[in-house]
Amino acid sequence: MSKVRRIIGMAAATAMAGALPVLAASPAQATSGDCQNYMRNLGYIVGNGVIGACDLGERGFIGQQGCFAQMIQLGVKYDDSTEACYQAARD
């Protein structure tokens, strides 16, 4: 019986060691690519203007506001601009 307990204990320890890197991994961060993919999925053409706006959106709150302003200038709808720039700026 003691041999079975040791095997179970070793299996549990191995499973926990394998799960630790997954549990300790840092949260995913949004990027300009997330913003671009969002726009592409909505059917917008992702050209230099959208890419530039999304790149700007990665720079935190102020960048997000600049991203939004550029998207509006490009003719992107208000709600679409808001979400796309949020996608670029969120952490």
Side-chain angles (χ1 to χ4, degrees):
M1 189 75 167
S2 118
K3 187 175 183 180
V4 171
R5 283 187 175 187
R6 276 188 277 168
I7 291 172
I8 292 173
M10 288 173 37
T14 303
M16 289 301 292
L20 184 60
V22 173
L23 296 174
S26 62
Q29 293 187 353
T31 65
S32 174
D34 294 325
C35 172
Q36 293 171 39
N37 286 334
Y38 178 79
M39 294 299 290
R40 195 173 289 112
N41 290 338
L42 291 177
Y44 289 98
I45 296 171
V46 178
N48 290 335
V50 170
I51 292 169
C54 290
D55 288 347
L56 183 59
E58 285 184 319
R59 299 181 190 156
F61 179 75
I62 300 298
Q64 184 177 359
Q65 302 310 307
C67 171
F68 176 79
Q70 285 186 14
M71 291 285 195
I72 293 297
Q73 282 185 326
L74 293 169
V76 176
K77 294 178 187 175
Y78 179 90
D79 290 340
D80 297 343
S81 298
T82 301
E83 181 61 26
C85 295
Y86 169 77
Q87 291 291 326
R90 68 187 168 100
D91 347 291

